[in-house]
């Protein structure tokens, strides 16, 4: 099994957002796997990302021990990559995500809930983006914390948010909840998918509050339809 690398939490001293009441789905347990979220099919989305117009200055590794083979590609209104999925269990400490379940566990995420707390990996679908580097600067490409991501695997679509940042040279990581919803083993130490995962990140989008998965699905479905129309 590949060696998962650490994700990096937000810079210290970042101002916390005003406290707010969390929606019920933000603090509940992980949802069961579903075939599709929203009205856009995996096949329709994948048909738009068959070729790559590379926007990154180089390519990424999927793990420490692999060669750099994954470019970030540009489309109208989105960027995408095709990679593996390592499991991120960082953020709030729970029965599924803690030092006892994840050897690489960290108690923070780069982006926070509306009450200032870290995200909860076992219940919130989120994606990890590489930290900005000479290879690619996600913010410069219009990708924001809380931005919507369509994650596609095995003919399933799951909408997630940009929730954490990771190593500068590695790509392909998402939260426990993202993996679980797609039918991927979410165990942070032994789970994940070695290949076959497509990540489509919609530019200049932002879910508010970031911890509302239902809001991510609503906005994601709207943006996916626009993506199909514009590409």
């Amino acid at each position: 099994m590949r060696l998962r690398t650490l994700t990096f939490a937000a810079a210290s001293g970042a101002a916390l957002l005003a406290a707010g009441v969390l929606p019920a789905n933000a603090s509940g347990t992980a949802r069961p796997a579903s075939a599709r979220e929203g009205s856009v099919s995996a096949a329709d989305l994948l048909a738009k990302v068959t070729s790559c117009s590379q926007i990154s200055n180089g390519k990424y590794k999927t793990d420490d021990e692999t060669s750099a083979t994954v470019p970030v590609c540009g489309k109208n209104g989105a960027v995408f990559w095709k990679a593996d999925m390592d499991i991120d269990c960082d953020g709030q400490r729970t029965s599924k995500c803690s030092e006892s379940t994840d050897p690489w566990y960290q108690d923070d995420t780069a982006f926070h809930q509306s009450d200032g707390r870290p995200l909860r990996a076992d219940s919130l679908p989120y994606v990890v983006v590489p930290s900005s580097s000479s290879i690619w600067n996600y913010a410069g490409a219009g990708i924001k914390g809380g931005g919507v991501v369509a994650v596609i695997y095995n003919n399933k679509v799951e909408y997630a948010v940009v929730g954490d940042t990771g190593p500068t040279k590695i790509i392909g990581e998402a939260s426990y909840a993202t993996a679980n919803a797609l039918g991927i083993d979410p165990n942070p130490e032994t789970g994940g998918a070695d290949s076959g995962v497509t990540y489509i990140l919609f530019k200049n989008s932002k879910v508010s509050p970031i911890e509302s998965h239902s809001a991510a699905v609503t906005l994601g479905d709207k943006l996916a339809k626009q993506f199909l129309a514009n590409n």
Side-chain angles (χ1 to χ4, degrees):
M1 190 62 194
R2 61 201 181 285
L3 175 66
R4 210 205 85 181
T5 54
L6 294 175
T7 53
F8 300 122
S12 59
L16 298 181
L17 298 175
V21 178
L22 298 184
N25 67 342
S27 57
T29 57
R31 297 168 298 107
S34 57
R36 184 174 82 195
E37 291 190 324
S39 61
V40 178
S41 71
D44 285 345
L45 287 170
L46 291 175
K48 299 296 185 178
V49 294
T50 56
S51 61
C52 175
S53 176
Q54 184 171 329
I55 61 171
S56 54
N57 294 322
K59 296 181 179 181
Y60 288 95
K61 299 179 178 183
T62 55
D63 299 287
D64 268 334
E65 68 274 18
T66 63
S67 56
T69 60
V70 180
V72 177
C73 311
K75 298 291 285 189
N76 289 331
V79 304
F80 74 92
W81 56 80
K82 299 180 180 183
D84 65 343
M85 183 185 287
D86 293 334
I87 308 302
D88 189 347
C89 232
D90 294 340
Q92 293 184 40
R93 189 176 283 102
T94 68
S95 61
K96 296 183 178 71
C97 291
S98 68
E99 297 88 344
S100 63
T101 64
D102 182 1
W104 307 278
Y105 175 76
Q106 296 184 76
D107 63 0
D108 202 2
T109 51
F111 307 105
H112 290 170
Q113 294 181 163
S114 56
D115 63 355
R117 300 173 69 195
L119 303 181
R120 179 172 169 171
D122 69 352
S123 62
L124 180 68
Y126 70 73
V127 165
V128 180
V129 297
S131 295
S132 296
S133 71
S134 59
I135 299 176
W136 183 58
N137 180 343
Y138 68 88
I143 304 305
K144 305 176 181 180
V148 183
V149 187
V151 187
I152 306 164
Y153 178 76
N154 196 22
N155 203 36
K156 298 176 182 177
V157 179
E158 176 73 8
Y159 289 107
V161 293
V162 175
D164 207 357
T165 56
T168 58
K169 296 182 179 181
I170 295 177
I171 207 165
E173 188 172 7
S175 68
Y176 182 110
T178 309
N180 188 58
L182 289 169
I184 296 172
D185 181 357
N187 186 298
E189 187 171 9
T190 60
D194 288 327
S195 62
V197 185
T198 299
Y199 304 81
I200 302 175
L201 294 77
F202 299 110
K203 295 180 180 179
N204 300 311
S205 63
K206 190 168 186 178
V207 175
S208 182
I210 190 174
E211 67 270 13
S212 174
H213 181 61
S214 61
V217 174
T218 299
L219 181 56
D221 191 54
K222 175 183 176 181
L223 295 174
K225 291 176 182 176
Q226 292 178 2
F227 179 74
L228 297 184
N230 295 334
N231 288 279

